[in-house]
Amino acid sequence: MTYELYIGDKTFSSWSLRGWLMLEKFGLPYRSHMVGLYGGTMAQDMADLAPAKLVPALKTPQGDIIGETLAMAETLAERHPDKALWPTDPSTRARARWLCAAMTAGFSTLRGECPMQLQHVNKGFPVSEALANDLARLQELWDYAKDASDGKGPWLFGSYSLADVFYAPVCARIVGYDLSVSQSAREYCQTTLNDPAFKTWRAEGLKVTYDPFPYDMGCPTSPWPVA
């Protein structure tokens, strides 16, 4: 009973990272398939997954096709209640769902101006007013999550949950563009980047080289802070 997960390039595809973490972090059986997101074969590679056209896409063991990470998250949580993908406390679970929905529906400036890349750190990246507003809202939501868990555990709601899955690429953006955030937010980003699953994903992505690099922001760069 194995899931089939279709993903894009690991160095850049933030949504693919979320789909992969849902399965990897909670020990669900899966096989991953690379889609030619930057190689020009995406439509061909996803032809049998209609009507899904974007990565990640998930095929269940029963053959159902699921697109959109929120739908994937709810489906997996429903099918595997023993894995506790969401927090078990109803109030905390509601907050976690809210944070995931807020991530998918918002932070358009952060996502647009700072595309995820896991190769290096951009130094001196200019922060627009809209980007600063996104960062302030992000920290407000993270503090709200931490209040729900009374500071227990390093993750947003104490133990690792789908909320941490959804914000992992956001942490990568903050670090990858050297964005100024609070100390607590910075510590959460470091927790995410040091997580073994995240490190494995990044290491696999670095096996592929790009010339030219898709997201050259014209900034000086420094090495990624976590090996």
Side-chain angles (χ1 to χ4, degrees):
M1 300 294 284
T2 301
Y3 292 96
E4 306 291 336
L5 178 68
Y6 295 81
I7 58 175
D9 300 58
K10 292 183 176 180
T11 298
F12 309 111
S13 184
S14 57
W15 295 103
S16 295
L17 171 58
R18 293 183 179 97
W20 182 81
L21 285 171
M22 291 179 200
L23 297 160
E24 179 71 17
K25 286 292 294 182
F26 294 99
L28 302 179
Y30 71 95
R31 287 187 293 264
S32 61
H33 307 272
M34 188 64 64
V35 170
L37 186 60
Y38 289 86
T41 62
M42 185 171 181
Q44 176 183 340
D45 295 341
M46 299 190 70
D48 294 334
L49 300 173
K53 291 186 176 181
L54 301 173
V55 289
L58 184 70
K59 181 185 287 187
T60 71
Q62 292 73 32
D64 295 320
I65 306 298
I66 305 167
E68 300 296 337
T69 50
L70 274 177
M72 291 169 56
E74 291 290 4
T75 299
L76 292 172
E78 181 181 63
R79 291 170 64 98
H80 303 279
D82 58 310
K83 297 294 186 178
L85 278 74
W86 291 117
T88 55
D89 174 71
S91 178
T92 307
R93 185 163 63 249
R95 293 190 186 201
R97 283 191 165 113
W98 177 17
L99 258 68
C100 290
M103 193 269 113
T104 61
F107 304 109
S108 57
T109 301
L110 175 61
R111 292 191 280 121
E113 293 186 2
C114 304
M116 191 185 82
Q117 60 79 29
L118 305 180
Q119 179 170 289
H120 53 244
V121 176
N122 291 292
K123 307 295 289 187
F125 183 79
V127 176
S128 66
E129 181 178 356
L131 178 54
N133 290 337
D134 269 4
L135 293 172
R137 177 58 174 165
L138 176 69
Q139 292 168 93
E140 181 181 27
L141 290 176
W142 285 0
D143 288 343
Y144 175 75
K146 286 290 189 179
D147 287 344
S149 64
D150 296 324
K152 298 176 182 177
W155 301 105
L156 287 175
F157 293 97
S159 299
Y160 194 93
S161 74
L162 285 168
D164 302 295
V165 166
F166 275 75
Y167 282 92
V170 175
C171 292
R173 286 177 163 95
I174 289 173
V175 172
Y177 291 83
D178 196 26
L179 301 176
S180 179
V181 292
S182 67
Q183 181 62 28
S184 62
R186 179 68 59 179
E187 290 173 357
Y188 174 61
C189 290
Q190 290 300 321
T191 295
T192 298
L193 267 60
N194 277 286
D195 182 66
F198 186 98
K199 292 170 73 172
T200 295
W201 172 275
R202 179 175 180 267
E204 288 295 317
L206 293 180
K207 293 178 181 178
V208 182
T209 58
Y210 301 86
D211 186 16
F213 189 73
Y215 298 114
D216 183 353
M217 310 307 290
C219 299
T221 64
S222 63
W224 192 257
V226 180

